[in-house]
Amino acid sequence: MLNWERLRVLAAVAEHGSVAAAAAALHVTGPAITQQIRKLEREAGTALVEPEGRGMRLTTAGWIVAEAAGAAGGKIAAAEHALSELDGRAVGPLRIGALHSSFRLLLAPALHKLALRHPDVLPSARSGGGAIDMIPLLLSHDLDAVIIENWSSLPMRMPPRVQLHPLVDHDVVLAVGSEHPLASRERIDLSDVRDQVWAACPPGTDHHEAQLHIMRRHDIEVDVRFVADDFPTQMTIVAGGLAVSLAPRAAVESFPGVRLIPVSPTVTRTIAVAIRGGPPSPAVEALVVALREVVRVIPGQTPADRM
């Protein structure tokens, strides 16, 4: 039997014209694409690709399978959308991915609102480090909506099939311990922050990559010695005088023993909901509405109602 996920990979190669382009669209590596195709060939019992220069192209059998997979994927997506709109009600499964920091602050209260208004929606949720983890799951229809972050210092490039709905903007500040030598500063230029030990989210997460990108723009190599998934844990390290961190003000406001210093140039983080392109299902629309309502009532938040 042909594996559906591998069929989607082959269809992406056919759609985008090369392994590299398909890998970029699916946010995976080229070798991962090639591995999936090789497994699919064993299942199919025939060659689906053949060498072409430094790359590869689909064989006749490959085009037959890819076209069938593309057509089947389109019909499944259309059926899901049609079923969800039988009477315009928000019903059925709603699979959500969210940043660790957004799960508690935004998603949990939004799901409470959703349960009260749309009891026939069946939500499930998983936390992740950011777009690099969750956008591929959105594109593969394993998730229906993803709450991600977008840093002004390192704007994300979303695949064409993904729409972003911004929710809230956060100022990014330098967090230092209250006894740190920089704690008395009212504002600090990032080019002045050198020879510091840093706390950050794990490598590969949006926060980690954005922080490294910001500092390298100022010719500073970041010495990250403390890695934690969530900002409260990082702030415990900062409060102990062990490290400093760049963090969204709203995520670390009023943390004991921590001084938050505005930075120059200004850096912002936008929290947004990513969904697949096309008309959203009523359940996804209801989720976006609930999230925006939550943002408006949380103190210190700056709603981002642009599209």
Side-chain angles (χ1 to χ4, degrees), residues 96-305:
I96 309 160
L99 292 166
H100 300 302
S101 58
S102 299
F103 208 101
R104 174 183 56 83
L105 187 64
L106 298 179
L107 182 57
L111 290 179
H112 178 68
K113 289 179 177 290
L114 203 64
L116 294 175
R117 297 173 184 170
H118 306 284
D120 292 329
V121 173
L122 305 175
S124 59
R126 58 188 293 176
S127 62
I132 194 170
D133 294 330
M134 295 185 290
I135 293 300
L137 297 175
L138 179 68
L139 291 172
S140 66
H141 293 251
D142 292 304
L143 293 175
D144 302 306
V146 172
I147 302 175
I148 58 175
E149 59 185 347
N150 192 13
W151 291 63
S152 61
S153 59
L154 189 61
M156 289 183 298
R157 294 183 179 180
M158 286 291 105
R161 290 182 291 157
V162 174
Q163 296 178 356
L164 281 184
H165 296 248
L167 295 174
V168 61
D169 295 325
H170 293 151
D171 289 332
V172 173
V173 294
L174 179 70
V176 302
S178 56
E179 302 300 321
H180 192 281
L182 297 174
S184 61
R185 302 280 288 271
E186 293 300 318
R187 192 172 190 88
I188 192 163
D189 193 303
L190 287 176
S191 61
D192 294 336
V193 184
R194 297 182 182 275
D195 301 321
Q196 300 292 328
V197 174
W198 293 82
C201 292
T205 61
D206 298 332
H207 171 264
H208 185 98
E209 299 307 315
Q211 178 164 310
L212 263 61
H213 183 77
I214 293 168
M215 304 312 294
R216 285 172 179 169
R217 285 173 58 185
H218 293 85
D219 297 321
I220 299 173
E221 284 299 320
V222 183
D223 182 10
V224 179
R225 299 188 196 175
F226 300 93
V227 177
D229 286 328
D230 61 287
F231 289 118
T233 300
Q234 290 181 34
M235 291 307 103
T236 300
I237 295 167
V238 170
L242 299 173
V244 301
S245 180
L246 284 176
R249 180 183 289 276
V252 295
E253 194 80 69
S254 303
F255 201 96
V258 174
R259 172 91 163 86
L260 305 180
I261 308 173
V263 298
S264 296
T266 300
V267 180
T268 58
R269 179 187 78 155
T270 298
I271 300 297
V273 183
I275 65 173
R276 288 184 297 276
S281 70
V284 169
E285 284 186 317
L287 173 67
V288 174
V289 169
L291 285 166
R292 285 185 166 156
E293 289 180 357
V294 169
V295 164
R296 291 190 182 99
V297 300
I298 297 178
Q301 304 291 308
T302 304
D305 287 333

Side-chain angles (χ1 to χ4, degrees), residues 9 12-13 18-20 22-24 26 28-38:
V9 168
V13 174
S18 70
V19 168
L26 297 177
V28 297
T29 64
I33 294 284
T34 302
Q35 184 181 41
Q36 291 298 309
I37 291 176
R38 295 307 181 199

Side-chain angles (χ1 to χ4, degrees), residues 40-55:
L40 185 61
E41 286 182 323
R42 290 196 291 271
E43 293 171 354
T46 187
L48 302 176
V49 296
E50 59 188 6
E52 183 179 45
R54 294 184 178 180

